[in-house]
Amino acid sequence: MTPDDAAAVATIVADFAADRSRLLDIVEAVQRRSGFVSDDAVRAIAAGLRIHAVEVEDMISFYAFFDRQPRGRVRIRLSKTPISFLHGAEDVARAFEAALGIGMGETSADGAFTLQWTSDIGMADQEPAALVNGTVLTRIAAGDVPAIVAALRHHPGHDAPNAAVPNATVRSSLVQAGPLLTGPLDPGEGLRAALAMTPDAVIATISASNLRGRGGAGFPTGTKWRLTRKAQGQDHYVACNADEGEPGTFKDRVLLTEFADLVFDGMTIAGYALGARHGLVYLRGEYAYLWEPLQAVLQTRRTLGLLGADILGHAGFDFDIRIQLGAGAYVCGEESSMIESLEGKRGAPRDRPPFPTERGYLQQPTAVDNVESYVCAARIMAKGAAWFKGYGTAASSGTKLMSVSGDCARPGVYEVPFGITVNELLDRAGGAEAAYVQVSGPSGQAVAPKDFGRRIAYEDLSTGGSTMVFGPHRDVLAIALQFAEFFVDESCGWCVPCRVGTTLLREGMEKIVAGRATLSDITATETLANTVSRMSRCGLGQSAPNPILTTMRSFPELYEARMQPGSFVPRVTLPESLADAVRVQGRQPVAEEA
Ligand SMILES: Cc1cc2nc3c(=O)[nH]c(=O)nc-3n(C[C@H](O)[C@H](O)[C@H](O)COP(=O)(O)O)c2cc1C
Ligand code: SF4
């Protein structure tokens, strides 16, 4: 390491006050400066933080965005999802290969470019998309690639300048706003209403609204806040989950782009209700381009007295928000992994209990809520619990932001009342031809046309919002295979059922898709899927088999049709054998419920 490099690492460590919990930021800064983290840099960071170098190495190895070896100065990561593929990502990949003279996963001989696939980058409404260092390119056609590469050649260096590169525009994509997102946007409206009440009354209002978490699991937000408030700790924390890693979802991106004040207002209300002084936003690394605009909003809020000391003149209420950038790991959306990552560690899920409400960030009581949940909280405080309950169903109050993508005329974000059917949502998005809808991303459910009358609601189709639409010409089983691959890539590897199971499931699906599977192969894949669901340690492994189990349930005829020619097919056996899948998913198809 040159003296310059050594001095730079020392400065970076000092910038973060040699704080071990900021290791993610420190490594990110070193990686951004040098393009990778060398052995010398690892040792220098470890020495600066007074920890063992193995701890630093271990952390780096966990995250897709960190490298231990030099890569291209310009790093092109092309989004690889069923949605990007149906919009031509394969052709775009071939065009990049031709323009750069390298294959996927390779670095050019002059060290200028690295080209690779990456998991969904939160742009399903404008695929094919790519991350180029920190810049997002969208709606890339194969024909655009020569101009993109030419622009990137003229702008070497780690950070590709936005304006100079074609396709470097992210559209906001809010197609339909409802009661949550329409109306004046007063940055402190909800907070002012909250500060007029006691913290307990704020929590009671959130509980009375029946707000349930918008990240997917649907836990009652008021209950979470109450548990966090009453938990003992030196400090309490408010954490916002902006990891948005579920393929096909991008509604939090839209909220952070257009409604950041509502997100921060909701977090500050939570800070008041919980007795917290610190808020943390975990922003997925793919959304790094939002970092500066979000910092600007935070700064304005400080100027307006909406953050900082004695907020809005309320003596003793001090609260501020820090944004932590992630580094490319889907599992970090799981709340306990997210907390580990916020602490600057590998994003491995924690054993629960204790839950974060009791022992979260730095072992202190922490409320982790989704971006949309905070937006709802801000509006509830401004407009009242009754207003919120006026929308939706008895068990699912309010509205839901749905991210719709794929084979539909109008992809984008739709704010819909809970209780809307899949059919109604498809009508709005121009997806009437749909032959298959994947609700709630790969970890959710495959829904067949016979079930398009089902409702988006916690009591029927529970969802974080991802809605991927596929037309009749798409290969459902090939899509399920792509989802199975996603889970292989994203498994953190900690527990055997998930680490080994996801790989075996992918192999099983490969055989099925290739038409080489017999009925017993399919049954074995299903049995394995159920085992992985039951035995995995965290939500990732528990839901990894869902694309297989739910396509088996919704499209048994496709599995039968793809069986090895000559296989014995007792026509009633396959659907019957899927009863186990239904049990594991805990949900009956509508026809059976009726
Ligand atoms: C693998 C995995 C990924 C997850 N990703 C996210 C995510 O990106 N955003 C999110 O809000 N919740 C995500 N969750 C759910 C969180 O663990 C947690 O339930 C949620 O952040 C709580 O917020 P809410 O109550 O407002 O929904 C994920 C869960 C799992 C198992
Ligand atoms: S289930 Fe998968 S992601 Fe979760 S701890 Fe086990 S290996 Fe890691």
Side-chain angles (χ1 to χ4, degrees):
M1 187 155 64
T2 66
D4 268 5
D5 289 340
V9 173
T11 305
I12 289 168
V13 172
D15 283 348
F16 291 99
D19 179 350
R20 164 69 183 81
S21 73
R22 304 299 297 275
L23 181 55
L24 207 67
D25 296 299
I26 292 167
V27 169
E28 196 274 332
V30 172
Q31 163 97 26
R32 187 152 28 86
R33 180 181 178 276
S34 314
F36 75 112
V37 190
S38 67
D39 290 347
D40 286 343
V42 166
R43 280 191 288 272
I45 294 169
L49 296 179
R50 297 177 185 280
I51 57 177
H52 201 285
V54 170
E55 243 184 271
V56 182
E57 274 174 12
D58 188 48
M59 188 282 257
I60 293 174
S61 67
F62 187 84
Y63 295 96
F65 288 2
F66 297 151
D67 293 301
R68 297 282 281 106
Q69 302 300 326
R71 303 282 175 145
R73 287 185 294 281
V74 176
R75 191 78 175 262
I76 302 172
R77 294 183 165 94
L78 199 55
S79 167
K80 179 184 162 196
T81 74
I83 301 297
S84 75
F85 275 56
L86 68 82
H87 290 301
E90 275 291 356
D91 293 342
V92 174
R94 299 294 83 81
F96 270 114
E97 288 177 336
L100 298 171
I102 52 176
M104 296 304 286
E106 293 178 0
T107 298
S108 58
D110 60 359
F113 290 95
T114 295
L115 180 62
Q116 63 187 116
W117 291 112
T118 191
S119 294
D120 183 291
I121 61 170
M123 301 288 153
D125 52 329
Q126 38 209 312
E127 293 281 7
L131 265 183
V132 179
N133 296 343
T135 300
V136 178
L137 309 188
T138 62
R139 296 174 169 269
I140 311 169
D144 301 331
V145 169
I148 292 172
V149 170
L152 291 170
R153 281 195 198 285
H154 283 98
H155 299 280
H158 187 69
D159 289 310
N162 268 333
V165 185
N167 299 69
T169 320
V170 179
R171 283 192 328 180
S172 178
S173 285
L174 177 59
V175 181
Q176 191 173 76
L180 190 70
L181 300 183
T182 39
L185 202 72
D186 173 346
E189 192 183 6
L191 180 59
R192 265 189 290 275
L195 292 180
M197 301 179 182
T198 64
D200 284 331
V202 171
I203 294 176
T205 305
I206 298 295
S207 290
S209 75
N210 278 345
L211 171 63
R212 293 172 65 174
R214 290 339 197 209
F219 191 81
T221 308
T223 307
K224 190 188 297 181
W225 288 14
R226 184 170 46 77
L227 292 171
T228 311
R229 177 172 173 78
K230 76 170 197 204
Q232 296 295 317
Q234 288 165 324
D235 261 322
H236 287 61
Y237 290 91
V238 170
C240 174
N241 192 338
D243 196 52
E244 191 155 62
E246 192 69 45
T249 180
F250 46 86
K251 49 101 186 167
D252 292 342
R253 186 198 82 211
V254 169
L255 289 176
L256 293 164
T257 305
E258 287 192 56
F259 300 92
D261 259 312
L262 284 179
V263 181
F264 296 144
D265 212 41
M267 289 181 70
T268 314
I269 291 164
Y272 175 67
L274 270 52
R277 291 184 298 133
H278 307 284
L280 302 150
V281 177
Y282 189 83
L283 180 69
R284 70 181 307 202
E286 291 81 350
Y287 292 169
Y289 74 97
L290 290 173
W291 172 270
E292 288 197 0
L294 288 173
Q295 294 293 355
V297 177
L298 287 176
Q299 198 47 45
T300 305
R301 292 184 72 83
R302 287 180 194 118
T303 314
L304 293 173
L306 298 168
L307 286 175
D310 298 334
I311 289 176
L312 290 176
H314 203 92
F317 176 39
D318 304 345
F319 185 79
D320 213 326
I321 294 173
R322 166 168 93 76
I323 302 176
Q324 173 69 62
L325 206 56
Y330 165 71
V331 72
C332 286
E334 194 279 331
E335 58 185 9
S336 67
S337 311
M338 191 192 91
I339 289 168
E340 287 284 297
S341 188
L342 279 168
E343 292 180 0
K345 302 179 192 153
R346 294 167 70 88
R350 291 179 179 174
D351 284 325
R352 300 182 308 171
F355 291 94
T357 49
E358 212 180 312
R359 260 188 276 155
Y361 182 65
L362 303 177
Q363 299 299 316
Q364 302 300 313
T366 305
V368 179
D369 294 292
N370 175 253
V371 173
E372 187 183 345
S373 305
Y374 285 117
V375 169
C376 292
R379 288 298 206 201
I380 290 164
M381 293 317 298
K383 299 187 178 208
W387 164 82
F388 192 73
K389 281 176 78 171
Y391 301 95
T393 69
S396 311
S397 55
T399 58
K400 181 77 194 84
L401 298 186
M402 302 296 289
S403 313
V404 186
S405 65
D407 289 320
C408 58
R410 293 177 293 281
V413 172
Y414 292 75
E415 184 188 345
V416 299
F418 270 119
I420 190 175
T421 64
V422 174
N423 256 330
E424 286 166 326
L425 182 59
L426 288 171
D427 276 350
R428 291 186 194 201
E433 301 296 309
Y436 154 39
V437 178
Q438 182 71 24
V439 174
S440 214
S443 65
Q445 301 191 49
V447 181
K450 69 181 171 55
D451 291 329
F452 284 177
R454 291 183 64 179
R455 297 185 179 279
I456 303 295
Y458 296 109
E459 59 272 34
D460 191 352
L461 284 172
S462 181
T463 175
S466 170
T467 313
M468 294 189 251
V469 181
F470 299 97
H473 49 304
R474 308 296 178 190
D475 183 344
V476 176
L477 303 192
I479 293 165
L481 169 59
Q482 278 180 285
F483 289 148
E485 279 169 1
F486 168 76
F487 286 112
V488 174
D489 291 344
E490 297 297 337
S491 166
C492 85
W494 195 94
C495 66
V496 174
C498 172
R499 187 180 67 236
V500 178
T502 50
T503 307
L504 294 175
L505 285 175
R506 179 188 58 190
E507 285 170 12
M509 275 313 286
E510 277 169 351
K511 203 168 171 186
I512 292 167
V513 170
R516 288 186 282 108
T518 61
L519 178 62
S520 75
D521 289 324
I522 296 177
T523 310
T525 302
E526 180 216 340
T527 305
L528 174 67
N530 286 326
T531 306
V532 174
S533 260
R534 273 194 292 263
M535 306 295 287
S536 289
R537 178 167 177 244
C538 86
L540 187 149
Q542 287 154 13
S543 56
N546 284 1
I548 298 174
L549 291 171
T550 66
T551 50
M552 282 182 170
R553 190 180 72 202
S554 293
F555 301 97
E557 70 286 356
L558 298 182
Y559 281 85
E560 284 189 8
R562 201 67 74 92
M563 273 183 217
Q564 196 184 82
S567 284
F568 171 62
V569 185
R571 307 228 39 104
V572 290
T573 302
L574 182 57
E576 278 177 358
S577 75
L578 297 175
D580 204 25
V582 170
R583 190 174 48 70
V584 164
Q585 296 307 307
R587 215 180 286 277
Q588 295 287 332
V590 155
E592 292 169 38
E593 280 170 354

